[in-house]
Amino acid sequence: MNISAAQVKIFYIITFLVIMNSNAQSLEGYDLWLGYSKIEDPVILPEYQRHTKSIFFNNGSAVLETAQKELVRGIDGLLGQPSNIHNSQSLLNTMWVSKKMDLDKDIVKPFKADFEQIGKEGFIIKSITVNDNSILLITANEDIGILYGVFKLLQLMKMHKSFEGINIVDVPKIELRMLNHWDNLDRTVERGYAGFSLWNWQKLPEYIDPRYEDYARANASIGINATVLTNVNANSLVLTSAYLDKVAALAEVFRPYGIKVYLTARFSAPIEIGGLNTADPLDKDVIEWWNDRAKKIYKIIPDFGGFLVKANSEGQPGPQNYGRTHVDGANMLANALRPFNGMVIWRAFVYSELDTTDRAKQAFTEFVPYDGNFLDNVLVQVKNGPIDFQPREPFHPTFGAMPNTPLVMEFQITQEYLGFSSHLVFLPKLYEEVLDAETYRKGKKSTVAQVIDGSLFNSKISGMAGVANIGTDLNWTGHPFAQANWYGFGRLAWNPYLSSEAIAEEWLRLTYSNNSEFVEPVKSIMISSREAVVNYMTPLGLHHLMDTGHHYGPGPWVSDLSRPEWNPTYYHQADKDGIGFDRTPSGSNATSQYSSEIAEIFNAPETCPEEYLLWFHHLPWDYKLKNGEILWDAVALKYQEGVDQVGEMISIWKQAKTYISDDQYNEVRMLLEIQLKEAKWWRNACLLYFQTFSGKKLPPGVELPEENLEFYRSLKFPYAPGN
Ligand code: GCW
């Protein structure tokens, strides 16, 4: 080789390294909680090396194939050397990964009860002794349990947990753990703040973006087993053959990860793509059309999950267009899917322009009388609160009020009313509050979680859905901490009794670092973030003050929209006498939809938890709160507290700097600056506006707004994302 050739080679090597390096930086966050860099801890590393010295993996199906692939990938990365994996068993093995049916009977016998407990999807990770050899056993009844067990094992390793004496018996408490994508066929995402839809409909079915598999891995690693690919504001085209082939291609990628695909069914599809002139659910031709469509779907996608339906809500067509009921509509579809074990998930998010009663009451009023009338492959999906994914709402009164209907919890993971993907808001804190709420429907200890997991009323099927916050952004969710909301949703769908604090800690350790000097302060940011957003947007039970349409920023003054309940003024009812929505018997009487024990608490302003005060009560500006503050001062001070909390989050985040990369640090720092700026915007705009009614001065401690009310009212955002 002459010198110039060597120089050329060096040039290429350097160029390659530079590109690799810049790629590594720009790919920050892509791995989510699944990065497998080598463990450096000198204590735990040898223990893991010992346990993984010789692994027996009993393969034999697509799901097990996936599990083995994941195990190899994880162990190779974490231990920094190729794993020693065999498909034949020996006593020299240090780890066995095998289903119960493939294990020796004597091995299984002592923990028969555990196998009974773990059902179809659970797993066991146990340290056992066989002929004096210590073996780490990962086992399950079914393939999918093995996959979940493998992910759990890798998570434990990432968190540096010891395997000595390990004995984990884990099983999901909720059957249907699903993401709802509000993704349109043109790849825009309704209320999406992380880029475009992952589904590249144009190039499907031939072109399989590798990201589809990464999406499936991430979901399976937290136990999500269902995904609704399309927006509930549905397009019937997705039910045509051309699109079904594309859906089938996605289903094929997701299947080895135990994930079923679902689609949204537009109720008027028989007209739009079927050439019929009605979509009446009792019409013979319509029934036949759906039966036929179901057959077609299952021919192409044999394990298709079913339909999610938004009907007669916000302009979507539905059975009421034909004088029929939600039951008529849901059961007609359920009959079509029943021969194939498909499910219908019918949403209860309804409110009507013709119904002048309090919007918060309408879903309950419409659905509760139908309890027990739906076929048994119908689930009714209810949003966590009675209005719409606000920073804080009391739990939806329908939970606990339909004992004979399985109710799916619908949470929003995307941050439509929560600062989009610019604000750090750890949502498991919100989810936990709702799940822990007491319904008193069967006395004390009748929580929403018990309704959802089916234990309160012995439901045959249970479900939890999360409106996804995922898009084509490199880090999937826009804000790096929004990944924690996806992660946390999955964990709570698996076990709705987990604490949000434990989830925050897990996620931080899996995503960033095990160093407690990093984890503890940053966890405190996450835990306080939800209360902060409530304070700077909608404190003391205020709600729906967001600017109209895009829901970005404050718009409490908006009052000119055609439907009353689209206006923020409908919700806060501020006037010179006071503020808040009277939902007690002297007002809309929405409290009567709760059990009498709960209604009684909510009805009296003295007993109503202060965080729901203005949700349930219209109170004078000088109403005295428990701490002696008058209402006006309390509202103002809460807005200020929210701003201060974000300031505090910023100063705590500075402590994180030494434990993570500069890119990781700076990305969050810049986003927190946006959050602070917007928290102040919220405070200033809302207080200036409410001040026009209260006529009172801001109390000491509340910063004076930088601009006047006209300025805040004049702001327009025609290109806010997610519309
Ligand atoms: O909160 C509202 C959103 C709509 C959404 C609707 C729903 C998909 O603003 O964008 O439509 O809820 O949940 O159906």
Side-chain angles (χ1 to χ4, degrees), residues 395-424:
F395 71 92
H396 203 298
T398 303
F399 293 116
M402 294 183 73
N404 302 304
T405 309
L407 298 183
V408 176
M409 167 64 74
E410 180 175 321
F411 283 128
Q412 200 178 46
I413 313 174
T414 191
Q415 292 171 239
E416 174 181 359
Y417 298 97
L418 288 145
F420 295 5
S421 61
S422 329
H423 294 205
L424 190 166

Side-chain angles (χ1 to χ4, degrees), residues 27-35 194 211 218-219 222 224 413 415 421 423-428 431 469-470 473-491 503 507-508 510-512 526 664 667:
L27 287 178
E28 199 85 83
Y30 185 84
D31 282 344
L32 297 158
W33 46 87
L34 292 163
R211 203 158 179 177
N219 281 320
I222 47 175
I224 288 172
I413 313 174
Q415 292 171 239
S421 61
H423 294 205
L424 190 166
V425 183
F426 181 58
L427 290 175
Y431 307 154
N469 61 348
I470 304 164
D473 276 9
L474 271 177
N475 72 3
W476 303 85
T477 55
H479 198 303
F481 275 68
Q483 295 180 356
N485 295 336
W486 177 8
Y487 178 86
F489 166 77
R491 297 290 288 127
I503 294 171
W507 178 79
L508 282 169
L510 294 174
T511 306
Y512 288 105
M526 295 170 77
Q664 285 175 322
E667 187 176 9

Side-chain angles (χ1 to χ4, degrees), residues 182 190-191 231-233 310 313-314 347 349 359 383 388-389 410 412 416-417 549 551:
W182 287 356
E190 183 155 349
R191 311 307 176 185
N231 191 353
V232 287
N233 290 331
K310 172 177 179 179
S313 164
E314 300 187 327
R347 291 177 90 228
F349 177 68
R359 171 174 166 187
K383 286 189 183 183
D388 193 6
F389 298 138
E410 180 175 321
Q412 200 178 46
E416 174 181 359
Y417 298 97
H551 298 151

